[in-house]
Amino acid sequence: MTTITTTDLAGAVEDVAAHLYVWALKDIPQDLRDALAAARDRETSTTGIRILETIHRNVSIADEQKNLVCQDTGIAVYTCRVGEHFPLHPARIYASLKAGTARATVEHPLRSNAVHVLTRENTGPNVGHRLPIVHWEFIPDWDGLDVKCVPKGSGSENMSFLKMCVPADGVSGIKKFVLESIVDAGGKPCPPGIVGVGIGGSADYAMYLAKEAIARPVGTRNADPLVAQLEDELYGLLNETGIGPMGLGGDVTVLQCHIEHADTHMTLNPVAVNYQCWAARRASAHIAADGSVDFDREF
Amino acid sequence: MAHHEVTFPITDPHEILKLRAGDEVTVQGHIIGIRDRTQIRIFDQGVEPPMDLSGAFLLHTAPNVRKVAEGRYEKICIGTTTSARMVRFTEGLGAQYGVRAICGKGGFPDVAIEPMQRLGMVYFAIVGGAAALETTQIEEIEEVLWEELMPECLWKFRVKDFGPLIVGIDAHGNSLYHDVQARAHDKLKELYARL
């Protein structure tokens, strides 16, 4: 456990944001390493095996040289779970996350990916108008703050899909859409990765749910048994498509399929797909009300 | 799967014809880093590239670097981006500038097959995301042009044992991406029938 203590809570959040961003980019979580090893063991295509071995070699080199796993440092997406009694207003938390993201980008240095959407001019250290992206969840009767950073590179984020299915499409309509999305994505999002599926809510919320789904530890299952069953089924079906590592054919197209769901309107059935590449980077920390930090706590 | 060693830039176009879709390739010599904005500048804004691209190997990249002196950069992490976004520049790169190889990840769609065959070009697939490894194979950043487009400049790298690369599209009209997609679409019909 790494613990930092500071009397400056805003400073602690900034330090955490900076640390999580770089940490996520350099250190692949163990569950993912295990999933990649299992993928190499079950792949039978010669090219696929070669690719999965190269991925392993790359992870080892990144470990040895303390280098980034992938050059695409992405845009930083944070999820915050804020306790009702956490003594720092979310507006200050946001400012600290932004400052931490910029600091990590300048100090490392990381590539600056952020641009204005119309002029395409670079806006500097991976911050800008509404960047970084922060999702919020507020927890009653609690005084802590959990922060998770999921840097999203463009190869995987460009492979995001939304379909407003209709109730008559049923569950098979959901399955078809996920399958066709991953076949269309082919090798572009760096397969084998994690397919996140968000079902329900509204159009925007379904995509948020899909993004939460890709950030779960590999192979965890939704608490709802019906949804968990669909995760299992889609995982099997997606690997039957033969897209394979890097889209060059093979047995392993995805490492996992995770689903998050929300209840929805009786006439709606939104389905969102968000892809996370094989490097599936994520890092999280817990900040206590006194500013002490536990970097080992996942959520 | 045949294995080839190829040095770029190439002077003999026949070397490209020896490469077949599915073969593995290791590259030596010099490669050029290029990206979306660089190619938009060349082809949409009509600005001539400030370096000779004949016989060149182009890598779709925008690296992480540290500036060490005026016009001098050292590598931090250099990796490869998704190629499909840049497919429309293929013909121009081959016909106007003599580029022979394009390397990226994720492949080119079928629209690239015909011009690559006609112009004697290949598409090399690299393992996407494996940037830590790629960085060790790039010996030096020799030149950076159009610095104002940072990080989407024109980069000249000297490489040693760059790879493994897989020939994704060869100069004979074969594309692994086309084949994998065609088989996957057939498979989808079968899977849909089971749902």
Side-chain angles (χ1 to χ4, degrees):
Chain A
M1 178 172 129
T2 315
T3 301
I4 56 170
T5 306
T6 169
T7 49
D8 169 18
L9 202 50
V13 174
E14 182 182 320
D15 289 348
V16 164
H19 181 71
L20 290 182
Y21 188 18
V22 176
W23 186 27
L25 295 170
K26 288 188 169 183
D27 190 6
I28 298 291
Q30 189 57 46
D31 53 281
L32 199 71
R33 292 169 187 253
D34 295 343
L36 287 164
R40 181 187 53 192
D41 291 346
R42 72 172 193 272
E43 180 59 61
T44 59
S45 119
T46 312
T47 302
I49 292 169
R50 188 83 171 114
I51 289 166
L52 289 162
E53 282 173 353
T54 304
I55 285 172
H56 279 275
R57 204 170 136 211
N58 182 71
V59 172
S60 301
I61 291 172
D63 287 346
E64 284 161 20
Q65 305 198 344
K66 300 192 185 333
N67 201 351
L68 308 175
V69 171
C70 172
Q71 87 292 346
D72 191 349
T73 49
I75 48 174
V77 180
Y78 297 93
T79 299
C80 289
R81 291 203 313 194
V82 192
E84 169 187 14
H85 303 301
F86 186 72
L88 191 65
H89 191 278
R92 289 306 323 157
I93 297 175
Y94 186 80
S96 292
L97 295 174
K98 196 163 191 157
T101 305
R103 205 179 80 199
T105 304
V106 171
E107 285 180 358
H108 189 275
L110 303 173
R111 196 177 74 183
S112 296
N113 305 308
V115 300
H116 182 279
V117 285
L118 297 182
T119 65
R120 309 304 295 181
E121 290 300 322
N122 205 294
T123 56
N126 286 321
V127 294
H129 183 55
R130 293 179 166 156
L131 275 185
I133 293 160
V134 183
H135 299 299
W136 301 95
E137 194 183 332
F138 298 98
I139 314 292
D141 301 324
W142 192 47
D143 66 353
L145 167 66
D146 286 337
V147 183
K148 179 165 58 190
C149 179
V150 181
K152 281 288 287 179
S154 83
S156 61
E157 185 66 6
N158 265 331
M159 295 300 109
S160 304
F161 305 90
L162 174 73
K163 185 172 184 184
M164 301 307 282
C165 290
V166 296
D169 294 332
V171 178
S172 67
I174 296 171
K175 293 178 197 168
K176 278 184 187 172
F177 176 61
V178 176
L179 278 164
E180 87 185 22
S181 297
I182 296 311
V183 167
D184 285 352
K188 294 190 277 293
C190 286
I194 298 168
V195 175
V197 182
I199 310 172
S202 51
D204 55 332
Y205 203 67
M207 191 54 82
Y208 160 72
L209 292 171
K211 191 154 283 185
E212 285 293 291
I214 54 122
R216 273 175 21 203
V218 189
T220 50
R221 285 287 173 254
N222 191 293
D224 182 326
L226 268 181
V227 179
Q229 194 186 332
L230 184 58
E231 289 177 327
D232 282 338
E233 193 182 347
L234 276 172
Y235 169 60
L237 289 166
L238 287 165
N239 278 322
E240 283 192 58
T241 59
I243 294 295
M246 292 298 142
L248 291 169
D251 306 302
V252 186
T253 298
V254 301
L255 296 175
Q256 259 308 333
C257 177
H258 296 161
I259 303 173
E260 292 292 329
H261 69 295
D263 293 345
T264 189
H265 188 282
M266 61 185 131
T267 59
L268 281 177
N269 193 11
V271 184
V273 176
N274 188 259
Y275 198 95
Q276 184 67 315
C277 59
W278 65 259
R281 300 162 297 181
R282 65 172 203 276
S284 53
H286 167 73
I287 306 173
D290 66 358
S292 60
V293 181
D294 175 0
F295 280 111
D296 283 349
R297 201 149 114 186
E298 287 237 29
F299 70 97
Chain B
M1 181 199 288
H3 181 268
H4 309 265
E5 290 252 345
V6 187
T7 300
F8 283 93
I10 61 157
T11 43
D12 177 8
H14 290 102
E15 276 202 69
I16 293 295
L17 297 174
K18 292 179 193 161
L19 309 174
R20 295 278 176 172
D23 288 353
E24 193 177 301
V25 177
T26 307
V27 164
Q28 315 291 346
H30 287 91
I31 66 176
I32 308 298
I34 198 166
R35 179 89 174 205
D36 307 59
R37 280 188 82 189
T38 339
Q39 296 179 79
I40 288 167
R41 179 178 276 197
I42 295 169
F43 293 104
D44 296 351
Q45 296 162 5
V47 184
E48 283 294 309
M51 63 167 71
D52 180 13
L53 298 178
S54 54
F57 175 115
L58 302 186
L59 179 71
H60 288 153
T61 187
N64 286 253
V65 293
R66 182 183 283 112
K67 188 166 186 169
V68 289
E70 205 44 51
R72 295 294 300 166
Y73 292 83
E74 67 179 24
K75 59 186 182 177
I76 292 178
C77 188
I78 305 178
T80 305
T81 193
T82 314
S83 299
R85 297 193 308 270
M86 296 167 264
V87 65
R88 71 182 172 92
F89 304 116
T90 309
E91 169 136 24
L93 289 169
Q96 292 176 48
Y97 299 108
V99 168
R100 290 295 176 185
I102 295 174
C103 179
K105 58 111 170 162
F108 268 160
D110 287 357
V111 66
I113 296 173
E114 187 278 326
M116 293 193 110
Q117 184 175 10
R118 175 162 39 86
L119 298 165
M121 301 167 75
V122 284
Y123 177 86
F124 291 127
I126 203 164
V127 179
L133 170 65
E134 239 175 288
T135 306
T136 65
Q137 297 165 345
I138 292 174
E139 291 188 308
E140 200 187 344
I141 301 172
E142 289 196 352
E143 261 188 288
V144 185
L145 297 164
W146 288 350
E147 269 181 86
E148 67 278 15
L149 296 184
M150 186 66 64
E152 300 187 65
C153 321
L154 268 172
W155 302 86
K156 187 175 183 185
F157 306 122
R158 188 178 70 247
V159 299
K160 187 170 191 310
D161 300 333
F162 192 75
L165 308 175
I166 310 289
V167 180
I169 303 173
D170 66 24
H172 305 279
N174 304 302
S175 165
L176 290 185
Y177 300 99
H178 174 87
D179 297 348
V180 169
Q181 281 288 323
R183 284 199 298 271
H185 278 100
D186 286 345
K187 186 73 186 178
L188 278 184
K189 286 178 204 147
E190 184 196 319
L191 295 178
Y192 287 172
R194 269 165 40 196
L195 300 180

